[in-house]
Amino acid sequence: MSSSTRSLHDVSGAAPAAVRTASLATPAILLALSGMSALIFQIIWIKQLSLIVGVEVHAIAVAISAFFLGLAAGGWWLGRRADRSDRPVRAYVWIEMGIAVAAMVVTQILAHGALPFARVEQHSAFLAWLAVVVVIGVAPFLMGGTLPVLLRAVGAGRVGRAGGVLYAANTTGAILGALLPAFILIPALGVQRTAWVAAGLNVVAAIGAWLWGRDARLGMEPERTQESLTGSPALPSRAWLAIGLYAVAGGVALGYEVLWSQMIVPFMSTRAFAFSIVLGVYLAGLAIGAAVYAAWEHRLGNPWRVFGLLIACAGVLALLELALLGRWLVNAQSVAETVIQGWTQSRLAGMSARFAVAAGVIVLLPTLLLGAAFPAVLRIAVPSAQRGRGAGAVLAANTLGGIAGTAMTAFVLLPALGTVRSLVLLALMACAVGLIAVWQARPVAAMARTVTAALAVGVLIIGWSLAPNHLARLLPGAQGNDLVFYEENHGGTVAVVESGSGDHRFHRLYIQGVSNSGDAMPSLRYMRLQALLPLIVHNAEPRSALVIGYGTGITAGALSRYPSLDQRVVAELLPGVLHAAPFFKGTYSAAEDPGLDVRLRDGRRELLVSDQRYDLITLEPPPPSAAGVVNLYSRDFYTLAADRLNPDGIVAQWLPLPTQNLDDTRALVAAFIDVFPHASLWTTELHEMLLIGSIKPLSLDATRIDARFSQPKVREALTEVGVASSAALLATWVTDREGLVRFVDQMPAVTDDFPAIEYAPWVRQREITRTLPALLALRKDPPIQGADSTLMAEIDNERSKLDVFYRSALSAYQGDRQGWAREASALGQAAQDNAYLRWFVGGPGQ
């Protein structure tokens, strides 16, 4: 009897009575709870790891690989152990309890691991990263054994059907685990308490398994099998071939996931909600595919043929979806958003529907086929007498292949070939796997061979017809504008788009498809003030400054205008941002400045690993609601930043107004003033403000400020953006700590454990009309030392100009034409000698 025939015979052969009659409903529920817990822990740990190793893609990739290595090792070793166990249900109980305990220990270690990791890394990077791999891999080692052990308990009948049902249940739980942290758990409970919820799910699964095993007498009575008495024989050679092909398929599938994150950029947001929905849709495809195969297994015929066609078709579908992407998808998203928002009266629900449509179009169909491939491989590779070992081997191989595929795609293919060409290559690999698989089918599946070969030819034709910049053309900012720079890399997509016309023509920076900044006049103004204002009001003579976030380079370049700075450092995460730098004006050639020390590193990690101290730390990160950016807005971050200041040092934090709701702005301010006993707020542009904080009191000395402002390069840089005097600079002062405390009221601060801003509800329309007046209502006269009546009169005059502009802008946002008209004359008068105001209202040179 051939090995393949023996496998099929074992699949359909008789099973022990207790096991054969067991329902799959209870173990499916148990694995759903376990899968939910696993995804919650994975999301939490990735979040915690970003605070330890930074948000650099390489660092996070290593950490995530440790998680999947643990899964692979656990699936392999525990699967083998399960085949020798007389009581697999009892083993499952202990595994779930072990996960609960181990996962909570890991969560606590990660919560306090940033400083120890940094200190160990300074002496031995190998030991530091080895510790991360070991810590992250412990609980996943146990997680990897849950499905093989339960399959050993219930899957002696139809291995394909049982495996498909259990895999689908486990993945369905994982879908909930992907969605709950962003939408409910972390916003309501914080990170640590969310971990307790996840551990509770494991405990419930353990108790449920114990009750089920006791009541059904499954796994409690010894099941005497040949392998339990004599040890498991080796898996057949054709089984190992299937496992090897499934490992390659796992690499292709995870490679798709990397590329899908690039493909979906033009249709998504950087909010955590968006990423959770995409992950949920991805997992839903796997679950549905496995469930469909389980239901139709008896009609699908030879598993080799089915497996080969599934993998090949998944590759072709992924490529075909890329070719068909266009603005039609944006229209479909808009329809879905309108319908759901109208039905629920929730903007968050509407935006979630928008993201789900994009994820469904790009991700769902290929993952359906990939999900169905798992039970097909189980039919080939898992004899019923070795179902624990075989399932563990299948899962381990697929996981290891996924790790390799992720690394190869992210760090080799994507930078070298771009998304389009990388997807073509992965689709060809999928077709190759399919061809090898269908060639193993007995009797010979001639039609399947022909179809699979035709699919490979189709991949070549589609790949040849697609332009390498196909995705770039779909970026929102590129519609009707000139795309002057585009780079795809593992860290994200970076694009520069030229917009506007005449004197209002400018460049805008897009990261992951979302507009971050530009070099139009409003951006020039707030970014130059971001650098120069804190230097001018500094108590001491500042000699060193750190900019976190290079962006357009305007803030970093403005530092060069201040003559006493001896050291200028920039921490930037994405290399693509630095490559795009030459396209922006107003940077004083920062991209070619030899005196600017650019460090390609996550800003928080830069402070963590270095003992260097600065007179100024100024931040220009993406908006605080973007996924992962909250790490630079939390109370814990400000504590770290304060520790890296010289005695009279200052932290200057960019505070955008329209990117979050008013209460979220209060939470951001609360985090800042919790750390800095001396804090003040300045208005740097209509849509932006600046928080300045220090440990020591900051005195606004009129003589010192005027002398620093009068330095030729400083005066020129600020006059170009509408700040023509020290009085105009001081007119941007809004309030001190007392006013900020009143503004915050009782709002809890943003912390690492409660990163509420990252999961806040979607921003209400025209939120600036709520936030800007609330902040301006705090305004009082700046506490200037040595100010005479002339200076105060000049400050009042400059403030009145800003007031006219702000009132007219708010009227425009509110659709109040009469209010706009009332201010038009005064605004035109104020704009005559102010380049910033003139940019908005028009005038000579504009």
Side-chain angles (χ1 to χ4, degrees):
M1 183 183 294
S2 70
S3 59
S4 60
T5 306
R6 186 184 306 114
S7 296
L8 291 175
H9 174 77
D10 290 339
V11 166
S12 59
V19 177
R20 183 177 62 246
T21 59
S23 169
L24 292 176
T26 298
I29 293 172
L30 299 178
L31 277 179
L33 293 172
S34 187
M36 192 187 315
S37 171
L39 255 291
I40 292 173
F41 276 122
Q42 183 182 355
I43 289 171
I44 288 173
W45 292 343
I46 291 173
K47 187 164 191 61
Q48 291 181 303
L49 282 165
S50 71
L51 303 174
I52 297 174
V53 303
V55 295
E56 295 100 329
V57 175
H58 292 84
I60 293 297
V62 171
I64 294 175
S65 295
F67 184 94
F68 286 107
L69 280 172
L71 287 178
W76 172 259
W77 192 81
L78 292 173
R80 291 170 64 89
R81 296 283 297 178
D83 281 340
R84 302 190 183 103
S85 173
D86 292 334
R87 297 176 175 85
V89 177
R90 188 171 66 177
Y92 179 82
V93 172
W94 284 110
I95 287 173
E96 288 290 358
M97 292 300 296
I99 293 172
V101 174
M104 285 309 304
V105 170
V106 170
T107 303
Q108 293 303 314
I109 291 174
L110 294 179
H112 304 91
L115 189 57
F117 175 83
R119 289 176 175 172
V120 173
E121 190 183 33
Q122 289 176 343
H123 296 90
S124 172
F126 174 78
L127 289 178
W129 282 100
L130 179 62
V132 168
V133 170
V134 171
V135 168
I136 294 298
V138 171
F141 177 86
L142 298 174
M143 294 174 186
T146 54
L147 193 150
V149 170
L150 271 194
L151 186 61
R152 160 80 170 108
V154 303
R158 288 182 174 272
V159 174
R161 177 178 179 274
V165 169
L166 296 184
Y167 180 78
N170 191 242
T171 308
T172 300
I175 296 169
L176 293 174
L179 298 176
L180 286 175
F183 285 91
I184 297 176
L185 294 178
I186 295 179
L189 303 176
V191 173
Q192 293 294 323
R193 291 179 180 177
T194 296
W196 282 109
V197 171
L201 293 172
N202 293 118
V203 173
V204 170
I207 294 172
W210 180 75
L211 293 174
W212 169 63
R214 184 188 63 178
D215 293 343
R217 298 189 180 277
L218 281 175
M220 297 304 172
E221 298 297 332
E223 180 190 335
R224 298 298 180 180
T225 58
Q226 185 64 31
E227 68 271 19
S228 67
L229 297 172
T230 63
S232 299
L235 291 174
S237 59
R238 283 162 62 84
W240 282 113
L241 174 61
I243 291 171
L245 291 176
Y246 195 52
V248 177
V252 171
L254 268 292
Y256 290 156
E257 188 175 8
V258 172
L259 298 178
W260 283 332
S261 68
Q262 304 290 330
M263 290 168 56
I264 210 164
V265 159
F267 312 100
M268 297 295 284
S269 164
T270 55
R271 296 291 293 270
F273 298 120
F275 296 117
S276 293
I277 290 170
V278 173
L279 178 57
V281 172
Y282 180 91
L283 294 171
L286 296 178
I288 295 170
V292 168
Y293 184 95
W296 288 77
E297 176 194 17
H298 60 289
R299 298 185 181 182
L300 294 177
N302 189 286
W304 279 108
R305 174 177 56 81
V306 175
F307 170 64
L309 288 173
L310 286 172
I311 297 299
C313 287
V316 175
L317 267 179
L319 186 60
L320 188 60
E321 287 174 339
L322 172 64
L324 295 177
L325 286 181
R327 300 305 297 173
W328 65 267
L329 179 52
V330 176
N331 297 331
Q333 288 180 283
S334 299
V335 171
E337 179 184 5
T338 301
V339 171
I340 298 300
Q341 187 172 335
W343 180 45
T344 62
Q345 298 302 307
S346 168
R347 181 157 171 76
L348 175 58
M351 293 304 295
S352 297
R354 187 179 192 91
F355 302 148
V357 168
V361 168
I362 295 173
V363 173
L364 185 60
L365 289 180
T367 54
L368 279 170
L369 302 182
L370 293 171
F374 174 71
V377 172
L378 290 183
R379 283 194 63 193
I380 299 169
V382 183
S384 62
Q386 299 171 261
R387 52 194 179 277
R389 177 184 183 182
V394 169
L395 290 170
N398 186 254
T399 303
L400 291 174
I403 294 171
T406 299
M408 178 64 68
T409 304
F411 302 124
V412 179
L413 299 184
L414 186 58
L417 303 178
T419 301
V420 173
R421 297 294 182 252
S422 296
L423 195 58
V424 171
L425 182 57
L426 289 180
L428 286 173
M429 290 177 63
C431 290
V433 170
L435 277 171
I436 295 172
V438 298
W439 228 265
Q440 304 301 313
R442 297 294 183 271
V444 174
M447 179 59 71
R449 295 180 181 182
T450 302
V451 170
T452 308
L455 290 174
V457 174
V459 166
L460 292 173
I461 294 173
I462 297 172
W464 177 80
S465 65
L466 281 174
N469 65 345
H470 176 69
L471 283 177
R473 298 171 180 174
L474 301 177
L475 288 173
Q479 305 303 309
N481 296 310
D482 296 330
L483 184 71
V484 298
F485 174 85
Y486 182 71
E487 180 175 302
E488 298 170 340
N489 214 314
H490 55 267
T493 298
V494 178
V496 178
V497 174
E498 190 174 33
S499 306
S501 60
D503 294 327
H504 280 63
R505 195 152 186 84
F506 62 94
H507 291 101
R508 181 157 288 279
L509 176 67
Y510 287 82
I511 299 176
Q512 288 297 87
V514 177
S515 174
N516 271 243
S517 189
D519 58 6
M521 175 58 73
S523 299
L524 283 170
R525 177 183 171 94
Y526 88 77
M527 284 189 273
R528 286 191 181 172
L529 286 170
Q530 187 83 29
L532 295 174
L533 191 157
L535 292 172
I536 292 172
V537 303
H538 204 286
N539 273 346
E541 187 58 53
R543 300 291 181 184
S544 58
L546 168 67
V547 178
I548 295 181
Y550 185 88
T552 60
I554 295 171
T555 301
L559 294 178
S560 68
R561 302 296 91 185
Y562 198 84
S564 68
L565 281 181
D566 299 324
Q567 186 174 34
R568 294 173 286 123
V569 180
V570 175
E572 171 54 48
L573 178 62
L574 297 178
V577 169
L578 299 177
H579 301 159
F583 292 94
F584 294 99
K585 64 185 179 184
T587 67
Y588 300 108
S589 301
E592 295 84 33
D593 186 350
L596 188 64
D597 181 6
V598 179
R599 299 173 184 176
L600 196 61
R601 182 182 287 169
D602 165 65
R604 181 161 174 161
R605 182 153 170 77
E606 171 62 29
L607 294 178
L608 187 65
V609 302
S610 173
D611 292 330
Q612 186 173 350
R613 297 181 181 274
Y614 300 94
D615 295 310
L616 168 64
I617 298 174
T618 184
L619 292 98
E620 192 192 334
S625 58
V629 182
V630 70
N631 293 357
L632 299 176
Y633 288 92
S634 69
R635 182 173 62 199
D636 308 77
F637 167 75
Y638 293 131
T639 301
L640 174 62
D643 192 53
R644 295 296 182 266
L645 292 175
N646 286 321
D648 290 301
I650 289 175
V651 167
Q653 174 65 281
W654 173 59
L655 183 66
L657 305 186
T659 59
Q660 64 280 332
N661 292 316
L662 177 58
D663 285 344
D664 303 319
T665 300
R666 290 193 171 103
L668 293 171
V669 174
F672 193 82
I673 64 175
D674 272 4
V675 174
F676 297 106
H678 304 281
S680 57
L681 181 70
W682 305 68
T683 175
T684 53
E685 203 270 315
L686 172 66
H687 306 90
E688 343 281 338
M689 288 197 178
L690 180 66
L691 286 165
I692 291 182
S694 58
I695 302 302
K696 292 184 176 181
L698 182 63
S699 61
L700 301 179
D701 183 270
T703 302
R704 184 178 67 237
I705 290 173
D706 187 64
R708 289 175 175 174
F709 183 91
S710 298
Q711 297 172 105
K713 290 183 178 180
V714 173
R715 177 185 290 275
E716 179 186 17
L718 292 178
T719 300
E720 289 177 356
V721 295
V723 184
S725 66
S726 59
L729 182 76
L730 290 168
T732 65
W733 192 87
V734 177
T735 190
D736 55 12
R737 179 186 174 83
E738 180 183 351
L740 293 174
V741 170
R742 291 202 314 273
F743 173 72
V744 168
D745 196 16
Q746 300 299 316
M747 184 62 60
V750 176
T751 66
D752 288 348
D753 189 46
F754 276 88
I757 180 65
E758 190 172 31
Y759 306 97
W762 210 264
V763 182
R764 295 172 297 207
Q765 290 184 341
R766 301 184 179 90
E767 188 65 10
I768 192 172
T769 62
R770 300 177 181 89
T771 305
L772 180 59
L775 290 170
L776 291 179
L778 305 171
R779 194 166 59 181
K780 60 177 77 170
D781 290 334
I784 304 172
Q785 298 177 4
D788 55 22
S789 58
T790 302
L791 176 61
M792 296 308 296
E794 290 178 359
I795 291 174
D796 288 341
N797 180 52
E798 293 294 338
R799 274 190 168 181
S800 67
K801 296 178 182 179
L802 288 177
D803 286 345
V804 168
F805 173 53
Y806 288 172
R807 286 197 302 268
S808 63
L810 289 172
S811 295
Y813 271 115
Q814 294 167 338
D816 181 3
R817 294 180 178 273
Q818 292 182 346
W820 168 265
R822 282 196 304 269
E823 308 291 350
S825 177
L827 183 59
Q829 186 73 22
Q832 290 182 4
D833 59 350
N834 187 303
Y836 170 62
L837 299 181
R838 196 161 62 244
W839 192 87
F840 286 95
V841 303
Q846 297 298 317

